[in-house]
Amino acid sequence: MNSDDLNSKIIAFFETIEKYYGCKTEVSEGLFSEMDDIDAELTTWNLSEFDLVRSAYRKNGLKFMMEGKNRYYEVSADKIINFKQPGRHKYEFIEQYSETVFRITKIRFHSKY
């Protein structure tokens, strides 16, 4: 996917994220070191759940943020190398922090629609 397509898809996601306000939101985050082989056994995972109440783009630091009660999660816009929608109300970002450090963020909204 070229960078213009990637940017367009990411912007479209965040321009329409308001439809998920008030929805239970699951954020699974994994750290891994082999881009060609995202092995669940070799990935460190974290899970957060919250009702999405707000989202924004933080220009200072180039971050996309999502917020719920007592929860705050950010994705580094300038580090995103992949974005996809693997299912209805499911999204995945992959960020690259160094040559061998990647973070995958899987977001699932429990939408009322």
Side-chain angles (χ1 to χ4, degrees):
M1 175 180 327
N2 73 42
S3 62
D4 288 338
D5 289 341
L6 178 64
N7 289 342
S8 293
K9 288 181 179 184
I10 294 166
I11 290 168
F13 169 73
F14 277 99
E15 285 180 340
T16 61
I17 197 171
E18 288 181 0
K19 67 184 173 189
Y20 295 117
Y21 284 9
C23 292
K24 179 181 172 186
T25 303
E26 294 177 10
V27 177
S28 300
E29 164 191 68
L31 296 174
F32 62 99
S33 60
E34 292 293 327
M35 182 59 194
D36 296 331
D37 183 23
I38 304 174
D39 184 342
E41 297 289 323
L42 301 175
T43 303
T44 301
W45 291 98
N46 295 300
L47 172 66
S48 294
E49 293 181 349
F50 54 90
D51 290 336
L52 184 65
V53 296
R54 188 166 75 111
S55 64
Y57 178 71
R58 185 165 60 86
K59 193 172 182 179
N60 182 11
L62 306 175
K63 309 287 189 221
F64 291 111
M65 57 77 68
M66 295 179 292
E67 188 174 354
K69 185 177 180 183
N70 299 321
R71 296 280 188 235
Y72 185 85
Y73 192 84
E74 290 187 333
V75 175
S76 292
D78 61 333
K79 301 204 181 304
I80 298 171
I81 60 169
N82 196 349
F83 172 74
K84 63 183 177 179
Q85 183 177 1
R88 190 166 186 221
H89 311 299
K90 296 179 181 180
Y91 303 88
E92 292 182 7
F93 292 90
I94 295 181
E95 299 160 88
Q96 185 171 7
Y97 284 89
S98 74
E99 196 171 307
T100 60
V101 177
F102 301 89
R103 178 172 79 161
I104 185 169
T105 300
K106 297 181 179 191
I107 303 167
R108 178 177 175 222
F109 298 102
H110 293 258
S111 176
K112 50 194 168 241
Y113 305 107

